[in-house]
Amino acid sequence: MNIFRLAGDMTHLFSVLVLLLKIHTIKSCAGISLKTQELYAIVFATRYLDIFTNHISPYNTIMKLIFLGSSFSIVWYMRYHKIVRRSYDKDQDTFRHYILILPCLILALLINEKFTFKEVMWTFSLYLEAVAILPQLVLLQRTRNIDNLTGQYVFLLGAYRALYIVNWIYRYFTEDHFVHWITWICGLVQTLLCADFFYYYFQSWKNNMKLQLPA
């Protein structure tokens, strides 16, 4: 654990808290992609298969439980809550997210660090997380109606992975034999996908304007 890893974890946690705050207090999921949330639920479910068999630390276990519980609860709210689900823009959130799952699974079967079930599922979760933000970004481009909480959520979600990259660079120079090419490449892809959003987010913040993405 180092300051960059901790900052990344906290930024990721804050992104989830911002989204839950929007859902619980405003009773709205407007501007949020259910497709992205479903992909993240799959990411955490396949990544944390070892949650009860491989204990690293109480901190690690608690964070796993938080991300598992929050991801599935967000999907439930958006699908089944009688008030929240009314604000879901199904007509705009049309990205065919299921087409991302099979290629990521095939890639995990072909390129992994060890060919075991848990390792392949962990690798699959990395590949899927790298592209899980795509439905959300497409939805924001289509609607162009981005409220403050939605903008903060997407920004924090992208920023957490950027901080993880800094953490990996730090560990590469301070730890012996710290090389994880699959994790690094997936993290870089995820961050690059958010680069355009980061640009317009900072522009809106600098000019004190409402965040809008180009059509």
Side-chain angles (χ1 to χ4, degrees):
M1 180 65 70
N2 58 67
I3 187 63
F4 305 113
R5 165 70 186 277
L6 182 61
D9 284 348
M10 292 301 102
T11 303
H12 195 186
L13 180 61
F14 289 151
S15 73
V16 173
L17 293 177
V18 165
L19 183 52
L20 288 173
L21 176 67
K22 176 185 174 77
I23 291 174
H24 280 285
T25 59
I26 307 177
K27 294 294 188 292
S28 171
C29 62
I32 302 299
S33 169
L34 174 61
K35 308 295 180 64
T36 284
Q37 298 308 315
E38 288 175 339
L39 291 178
Y40 276 122
I42 295 172
V43 166
F44 296 130
T46 52
R47 180 172 300 172
Y48 299 146
L49 292 173
D50 64 345
I51 187 169
F52 297 115
T53 59
N54 184 24
H55 179 73
I56 298 174
S57 67
Y59 170 84
N60 184 270
T61 301
I62 290 171
M63 293 298 282
K64 288 179 179 179
L65 289 171
I66 288 174
F67 290 126
L68 276 169
S70 61
S71 61
F72 281 96
S73 64
I74 290 168
V75 170
W76 182 87
Y77 267 99
M78 294 183 70
R79 278 192 170 275
Y80 303 111
H81 192 279
K82 61 181 180 180
I83 298 176
V84 174
R85 68 180 183 180
R86 295 174 188 169
S87 59
Y88 170 52
D89 195 349
K90 184 178 180 180
D91 294 334
Q92 296 290 341
D93 189 23
T94 57
F95 188 100
R96 297 179 181 179
H97 63 322
Y98 54 84
I99 67 173
L100 299 173
I101 297 174
L102 185 58
C104 290
L105 179 58
I106 293 173
L107 192 60
L109 289 167
L110 295 175
I111 305 175
N112 53 72
E113 294 185 359
K114 185 188 295 184
F115 194 75
T116 63
F117 177 73
K118 286 185 180 180
E119 188 67 27
V120 169
M121 288 296 98
W122 179 80
T123 307
F124 163 71
S125 77
L126 292 177
Y127 293 147
L128 189 60
E129 185 182 16
V131 295
I133 194 67
L134 280 173
Q136 180 64 66
L137 295 175
V138 170
L139 175 61
L140 294 183
Q141 278 196 316
R142 286 177 177 173
T143 60
R144 302 188 67 193
N145 182 23
I146 309 173
D147 60 73
N148 288 335
L149 288 178
T150 301
Q152 290 170 8
Y153 163 69
V154 177
F155 172 77
L156 289 170
L157 199 58
Y160 116 80
R161 188 50 88 182
L163 286 166
Y164 257 57
I165 290 177
V166 179
N167 160 61
W168 296 330
I169 294 172
Y170 173 80
R171 293 184 66 183
Y172 177 78
F173 287 107
T174 58
E175 298 180 20
D176 292 332
H177 310 298
F178 183 75
V179 178
H180 296 284
W181 290 110
I182 294 175
T183 306
W184 295 351
I185 292 171
C186 290
L188 182 60
V189 169
Q190 185 177 351
T191 305
L192 290 175
L193 287 175
C194 295
D196 189 57
F197 177 87
F198 286 157
Y199 172 79
Y200 289 103
Y201 184 91
F202 282 117
Q203 286 295 313
S204 68
W205 174 77
K206 184 176 70 173
N207 299 319
N208 196 26
M209 297 171 58
K210 184 177 177 61
L211 175 60
Q212 284 191 332
L213 299 182

